[in-house]
């Protein structure tokens, strides 16, 4: 971690934490798959045995087939890339703005009293209400979509950062004072590491909202993107295509969330939390 | 020389926590401050540490007025207050950021060995027991070699055995560089085992009530009769400090004087 003092690691003679048993390491994710796989197989069976024609709720094999077809024609990657680009750009903008504003409001009481009421009032507006305005201001193409996603991402990040800074333990800050840390050193060595766990949570919540808003943005009017696939599927009566898009949304959402989790894990190894009980 | 001159503290909410507290503390002296709750002992310690401003009077260390945390003054709190995101070694080296890496490393390694935690260098604070964590806090405070070390009920959250162990260990560490120790405690046994002088305070507002010199040779035998005598003396002073009918006097007394109780 960048903020650690460079200090020796002595040979650690203490017993290393026991490695998790091999079985539990693989059993845990597998356990999570039992329910969806059972449901999918069940439905597949129901359709193949002829109990349902599977027209409105196509069986998994049909959904999978659709995904393969879309992939073969190159359509799928085009839609995925369009959506990923929108989420990426909107998420980045929302994170930057939310982090800066949240940090200012959390650190500086005057700014909080000045900014926070307005931000909270804006937060109370259902974000989709911005859509007509954004379309008028920014056009119906990419900019308005990215802006909408950024708005969705902004609020959880802003709240998360501000709340995390406000709740940093006064006693820990006092340790920094005792060692006469300057303002920047206090931020770098005490506040940043202290808010990091809450920040990671805020990022994950923000990303989740980013995925939510990209669908809304793409339903409004798009010629490509996974949201467009949804709408196209509805209008042309292709439920398999809708389900295919939903499955891909789920996979991408989970994957990007997992990326944040994995990227943050080395920075949060120190946490003594309930969630870490089986870890390490 | 640490000089407290008529130090007083009234909090913004009107609580009058400390009134005209004066004392002169020589380098290397060990002072225990004891008193009932609300007698301003922690307020006094925080004023000496420069964490809070005194409302009246002054704290001076070698003629420098203390108004903010000072390089020569270290403090150990009731809780270890280790930074959970730093390893034990990084915690101990926290106050040495100005030192070149090599020097810092050497100091930290020496301190780890000195407090008997060399094998815990890479451990996280959460992996330590209460006693071990407080040892790390002691090492962290001592490693910048302060001239004055303040301790705010440092062992009160520990069990009796660990507490006794750490008291002895603290004396042992004190002997290395002999900083001035000022210890706030509510444990009479702890005050008598550690201190050269016990300052008994009385509450509402916090004032110095009585000063008792403990001229017992170290190491002190907790089971000796003389030790008991001093303990009784401190206890009696504490009882009297809570009795509002007793006038507010600052008795100077030492072991040789007549035992008035």
């Amino acid at each position: 971690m960048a903020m650690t003092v460079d200090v020796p690691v002595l040979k650690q003679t203490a017993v290393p934490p026991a490695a998790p048993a091999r079985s539990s390491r693989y059993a845990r994710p597998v356990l999570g798959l039992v329910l969806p796989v059972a449901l999918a197989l069940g439905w597949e069976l129901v359709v193949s045995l002829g109990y349902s024609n599977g027209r409105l709720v196509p069986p998994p094999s049909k959904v999978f087939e659709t995904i393969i077809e879309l992939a073969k024609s190159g359509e799928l990657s085009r839609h995925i890339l369009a959506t990923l680009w929108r989420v990426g750009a909107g998420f980045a903008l929302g994170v930057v703005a939310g982090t800066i504003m949240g940090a200012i409001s959390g650190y500086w009481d005057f700014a909080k009293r000045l900014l926070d009421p307005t931000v909270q009032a804006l937060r109370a507006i259902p974000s989709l209400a911005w859509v007509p305005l954004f379309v008028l201001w920014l056009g119906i193409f990419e900019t308005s979509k990215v802006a909408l996603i950024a708005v969705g991402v902004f609020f959880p990040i802003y709240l998360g950062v501000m709340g995390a800074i406000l709740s940093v333990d006064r006693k820990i800050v006092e340790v920094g004072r005792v060692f006469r840390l300057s303002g920047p050193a206090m931020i770098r060595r005490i506040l940043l590491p202290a808010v990091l766990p809450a920040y990671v949570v805020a990022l994950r919540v923000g990303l989740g909202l980013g995925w939510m808003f990209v669908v809304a943005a793409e339903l409004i009017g798009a010629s490509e993107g996974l949201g467009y696939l949804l709408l196209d599927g509805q209008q042309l009566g292709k439920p398999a295509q809708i389900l295919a898009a939903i499955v891909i949304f789920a996979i991408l959402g989970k994957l990007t969330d997992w990326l944040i989790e994995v990227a943050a894990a080395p920075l949060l190894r120190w946490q003594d939390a309930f969630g870490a009980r089986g870890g390490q | 020389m640490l000089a407290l001159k008529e130090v007083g503290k009234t909090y913004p909410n009107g609580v009058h926590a400390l009134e005209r507290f004066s004392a002169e503390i020589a380098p290397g002296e060990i002072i225990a401050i004891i008193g009932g709750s609300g007698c301003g002992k922690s307020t006094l310690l925080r004023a000496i540490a420069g964490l809070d401003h005194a409302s009246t009077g002054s704290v001076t260390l070698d003629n420098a007025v203390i108004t903010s945390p000072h390089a020569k003054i270290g403090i150990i709190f009731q809780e270890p207050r280790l930074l959970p995101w730093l390893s034990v070694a990084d915690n101990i080296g926290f106050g040495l950021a100005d030192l070149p890496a090599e020097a810092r490393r050497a100091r930290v390694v020496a301190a780890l060995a000195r407090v008997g935690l060399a094998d815990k260098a890479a451990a996280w604070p959460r992996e330590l027991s209460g006693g071990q964590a407080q040892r790390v806090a002691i090492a962290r405070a001592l490693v910048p070699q302060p001239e004055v070390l303040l301790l705010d009920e440092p062992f009160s959250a520990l069990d009796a055995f660990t507490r006794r162990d750490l008291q002895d260990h603290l004396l042992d560490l004190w002997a290395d560089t002999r900083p001035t120790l000022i210890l706030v405690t509510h444990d009479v046994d702890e005050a008598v085992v550690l201190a050269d002088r016990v300052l008994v305070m009385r509450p509402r507002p916090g004032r110095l009530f009585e000063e008792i010199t403990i001229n017992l040779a170290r190491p002190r035998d907790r089971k000796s009769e003389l030790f008991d005598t001093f303990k009784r003396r401190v206890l009696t002073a504490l009882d009297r400090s809570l009795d509002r009918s007793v006038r507010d006097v600052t008795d100077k007394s030492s072991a040789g004087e007549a035992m008035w109780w």
Side-chain angles (χ1 to χ4, degrees), chain A residues 94-109:
Chain A
V95 166
V96 169
T99 305
I100 293 174
M101 297 265 288
I104 291 174
S105 291
Y107 192 66
W108 192 23
D109 190 52

Side-chain angles (χ1 to χ4, degrees), chain B residues 116-220:
Chain B
L117 291 173
D119 59 334
K120 296 281 184 202
W124 298 112
R126 65 177 156 88
E127 294 163 335
L128 303 177
S129 69
Q132 287 172 334
Q134 199 57 306
R135 266 170 209 261
V136 174
I138 293 173
R140 178 176 68 183
L142 280 174
V143 114
Q145 297 176 345
E147 285 178 19
V148 177
L149 183 61
L150 309 171
L151 303 103
D152 190 1
E153 305 190 16
F155 310 132
S156 62
L158 304 172
D159 64 86
F161 293 110
T162 312
R163 190 183 312 157
R164 197 169 275 208
D165 183 42
L166 278 189
Q167 286 162 357
D168 294 341
H169 193 61
L170 178 70
L171 276 181
D172 203 29
L173 293 171
W174 169 79
D176 290 348
T177 54
R178 291 187 168 254
T180 305
L181 293 189
I182 302 178
L183 168 92
V184 161
T185 181
H186 54 231
D187 180 348
V188 175
D189 199 77
E190 182 167 286
V192 175
V193 90
L194 293 176
D196 297 312
R197 268 193 290 163
V198 177
L199 307 183
V200 180
M201 294 183 70
R202 93 184 308 186
R204 283 177 292 277
R207 274 160 302 165
L208 179 58
F209 179 69
E210 189 171 331
E211 185 180 313
I212 298 165
T213 303
I214 315 282
N215 46 3
L216 270 174
R218 293 196 181 90
R220 290 171 181 169

Side-chain angles (χ1 to χ4, degrees), chain B residues 17-251:
Chain B
L18 188 65
E19 190 178 72
R20 294 161 60 101
F21 188 101
S22 294
E24 291 201 332
I25 298 161
E29 210 178 347
I30 303 182
I31 301 289
I33 298 173
I34 197 166
S37 58
C39 71
K41 8 184 234 295
S42 289
T43 303
L44 178 67
L45 208 69
R46 292 179 62 85
I48 301 173
L51 287 170
D52 286 336
H53 289 284
S55 315
T56 58
S58 65
V59 178
T60 53
L61 176 63
D62 301 333
N63 298 321
V65 179
I66 304 296
T67 52
S68 60
H70 192 282
K72 290 180 180 172
I73 302 178
I75 184 164
I76 296 169
F77 299 98
Q78 187 173 2
E79 337 65 30
R81 299 199 188 180
L82 302 181
L83 305 178
W85 53 84
L86 296 182
S87 68
V88 165
D90 282 336
N91 263 292
I92 293 178
F94 189 78
L96 300 177
D98 300 337
L99 249 57
E102 262 318 298
R104 185 167 57 214
R105 190 189 146 94
R107 293 265 281 272
V108 169
V109 170
L112 272 166
R114 193 72 186 82
V115 295
L117 291 173
D119 59 334
K120 296 281 184 202
W124 298 112
R126 65 177 156 88
E127 294 163 335
L128 303 177
S129 69
Q132 287 172 334
Q134 199 57 306
R135 266 170 209 261
V136 174
I138 293 173
R140 178 176 68 183
L142 280 174
V143 114
Q145 297 176 345
E147 285 178 19
V148 177
L149 183 61
L150 309 171
L151 303 103
D152 190 1
E153 305 190 16
F155 310 132
S156 62
L158 304 172
D159 64 86
F161 293 110
T162 312
R163 190 183 312 157
R164 197 169 275 208
D165 183 42
L166 278 189
Q167 286 162 357
D168 294 341
H169 193 61
L170 178 70
L171 276 181
D172 203 29
L173 293 171
W174 169 79
D176 290 348
T177 54
R178 291 187 168 254
T180 305
L181 293 189
I182 302 178
L183 168 92
V184 161
T185 181
H186 54 231
D187 180 348
V188 175
D189 199 77
E190 182 167 286
V192 175
V193 90
L194 293 176
D196 297 312
R197 268 193 290 163
V198 177
L199 307 183
V200 180
M201 294 183 70
R202 93 184 308 186
R204 283 177 292 277
R207 274 160 302 165
L208 179 58
F209 179 69
E210 189 171 331
E211 185 180 313
I212 298 165
T213 303
I214 315 282
N215 46 3
L216 270 174
R218 293 196 181 90
R220 290 171 181 169
D221 179 3
R222 289 182 173 86
K223 293 185 289 286
S224 75
E225 222 162 280
L226 209 52
F227 189 89
D228 264 346
T229 311
F230 278 109
K231 257 176 79 173
R232 230 176 304 135
R233 211 156 160 188
V234 174
L235 277 172
T236 313
L238 271 174
D239 284 346
R240 276 161 40 88
S241 77
L242 296 173
D243 181 352
R244 305 308 288 184
S245 67
V246 178
R247 271 180 50 88
D248 198 28
V249 283
T250 304
D251 285 348

Side-chain angles (χ1 to χ4, degrees), chain B residues 2-20:
Chain B
L2 182 72
L4 312 175
K5 207 176 282 172
E6 310 221 318
V7 178
K9 175 78 185 177
T10 307
Y11 283 102
N13 61 8
V15 172
H16 194 26
L18 188 65
E19 190 178 72
R20 294 161 60 101

